[in-house]
Amino acid sequence: MTRLNLSRLPTGGDVVVVNCSGLGARLLGGDRSVVPVRGQVVYVEQVGLDRWWLDGAAPTYVVPRSKDIVVGGTDDEGDWSRTPSPEVAEAMLSRATRLVPELEGARVLRHKVGLRPVRPAVRVERVGDVVHCYGHGGAGVTMSWGTADEVVALVG
Ligand SMILES: Cc1cc2nc3c(=O)[nH]c(=O)nc-3n(C[C@H](O)[C@H](O)[C@H](O)COP(=O)(O)OP(=O)(O)OC[C@H]3O[C@@H](n4cnc5c(N)ncnc54)[C@H](O)[C@@H]3O)c2cc1C
């Protein structure tokens, strides 16, 4: 496998190129309708939780995993910053602790920021020798099996 930072999609040869570049489609697909929606989370130690919580208002979510708990979140459209904000982290933890009091005093393990590749609609289509598959927004994991099947069919 070769990893490269591409300035454009490869062309030529008897190949089909699958463009699943997420936010990179702004450059590689010339598609400015894909925008970042910034999401910040905090990982805290596992304090014995075995069910997840979601309060859609802020949004606030608490997702227990085997060794840690993911606490979120944020939804900031157009924000490209990958740097976690300490103030945002504190506010998320405070909201989450109101929702799930067991989180009080839980040790913070790390902070993380991701940029969701949001588009008015997911793009899965073939144009010549390129199959585009991007714009899954905040549901890329959920939709990945379905859109991957569509890509396989389009590659033929
Ligand atoms: C905080 C947060 C919470 C989320 N929660 C959920 C959830 O609960 N459920 C869910 O289903 N989804 C969730 N998602 C969304 C999900 O992670 C994304 O929808 C998914 O990652 C999109 O997958 P993708 O493969 O299309 O794009 P990406 O994961 O962004 O992958 C694109 C790839 O293309 C590469 N690339 C881009 N440009 C270039 C270039 N010029 N040259 C070479 N390579 C390039 C990048 O390096 C990257 O590897 C969440 C995302 C975030 C940030």
Side-chain angles (χ1 to χ4, degrees):
M1 185 176 75
T2 306
R3 291 179 66 91
L4 287 174
N5 194 358
L6 300 170
S7 55
R8 60 184 172 78
L9 291 174
T11 52
D14 187 21
V15 292
V16 175
V17 173
V18 179
N19 171 25
C20 50
S21 54
L23 274 175
R26 287 173 63 87
L27 172 70
L28 296 180
D31 187 343
R32 296 289 159 148
S33 72
V34 194
V35 294
V37 173
R38 182 181 183 279
Q40 180 169 335
V41 295
V42 182
Y43 293 80
V44 300
E45 64 179 328
Q46 180 48 279
V47 291
L49 297 188
D50 60 3
R51 54 184 291 210
W52 61 273
W53 297 76
L54 170 67
D55 175 356
T60 305
Y61 51 83
V62 177
V63 182
R65 308 194 303 177
S66 57
K67 296 197 174 95
D68 57 20
I69 300 169
V70 184
V71 174
T74 59
D75 270 322
D76 298 314
E77 184 166 336
D79 187 343
W80 286 89
S81 171
R82 301 292 302 266
T83 307
S85 152
E87 293 79 22
V88 168
E90 200 177 311
M92 289 190 306
L93 279 171
S94 152
R95 294 197 312 266
T97 304
R98 278 201 296 278
L99 195 63
V100 186
E102 293 95 316
L103 290 173
E104 183 75 53
R107 190 162 50 94
V108 172
L109 303 177
R110 60 189 182 280
H111 301 267
K112 203 160 181 186
V113 171
L115 303 178
R116 305 172 181 94
V118 171
R119 190 175 184 270
V122 179
R123 184 180 187 195
V124 186
E125 70 170 328
R126 180 166 178 164
V127 180
D129 286 337
V130 178
V131 175
H132 297 281
C133 179
Y134 59 83
H136 297 70
V141 178
T142 313
M143 291 192 285
S144 59
W145 287 271
T147 51
D149 279 348
E150 285 186 56
V151 167
V152 169
L154 289 168
V155 168

